[in-house]
Amino acid sequence: MALVFRTVAQLAGVSLSLLGWVLSCLTNYLPHWKNLNLDLNEMENWTMGLWQTCVTQEEVGMQCKDFDSFLALPAELRVSRILMFLSNGLGFLGLLVSGFGLDCLRIGEGQRDLKRRLLILGGVLSWASGITALVPVSWVAHKTVQEFWDENVPDFVPRWEFGEALFLGWFAGLSLLLGGCLLNCAACSSHALLASGHHAVAQMQDHHQLETRNTNLRN
């Protein structure tokens, strides 16, 4: 039963980490962190991401323009770029490391303790990737809410609202955190199984030595 749980936890952890990493990469590059709908022109929709601003019109379609200067961006967008790059890198390393720690991989099959440590390291990297994905998304969402309810801005001025990429980023971060938890649970269960196996072997050896001793005394 413990072996089945460990295998399922490993596969589920890697799958969730992979899903979270792919979604975090999409979140990084999608220009849909913020949406702006103009009441005066309902056929025009503005969106903003970390790298560019886009406008969608029915006749022309979508047209995007990259930001000219990194330093000219608001602080939340500058930091979000760095953190999302960090999240993508940590997520990739976590997948790579935890992949070598899977029991289904034949590489290092005799080194159980090493594979357990690789699973733990992969889980920690997935945690770090999830946190560094949740922080920028939540920060941009917080700033959007602040600006939306700013009383100093006249009511007729259009307000930015949550874009689809924010929800995608939250889901990516939670998937990475859950994947890291499952990988560490699998590593802990493999450690317990390894310890119980050593204990059983030690008991068999003690029992065999006791029987040998009793046989020698009888002779």
Side-chain angles (χ1 to χ4, degrees), residues 120-218:
I120 293 175
L121 179 58
V124 171
L125 289 172
S126 294
W127 277 346
S129 177
I131 292 172
T132 50
L134 289 174
V135 168
V137 172
S138 301
W139 189 7
V140 171
H142 174 69
K143 293 292 290 185
T144 304
V145 172
Q146 279 188 327
E147 294 170 358
F148 186 87
W149 295 110
D150 190 358
E151 296 179 354
N152 296 323
V153 180
D155 294 336
F156 60 85
V157 176
R159 315 289 179 100
W160 289 101
E161 299 181 12
F162 288 175
E164 295 82 357
L166 293 182
F167 299 99
L168 200 65
W170 279 319
F171 188 76
L174 293 176
S175 297
L176 287 164
L177 288 176
L178 184 56
C181 289
L182 288 174
L183 288 174
N184 280 275
C185 288
C188 292
S189 65
S190 64
H191 177 65
L193 189 63
L194 186 64
S196 63
H198 287 323
H199 182 66
V201 171
Q203 281 186 334
M204 290 178 62
Q205 289 177 348
D206 292 340
H207 182 67
H208 179 70
Q209 289 177 358
L210 184 61
E211 287 184 348
T212 305
R213 223 179 264 172
N214 292 333
T215 304
N216 292 334
L217 289 174
R218 289 174 187 173

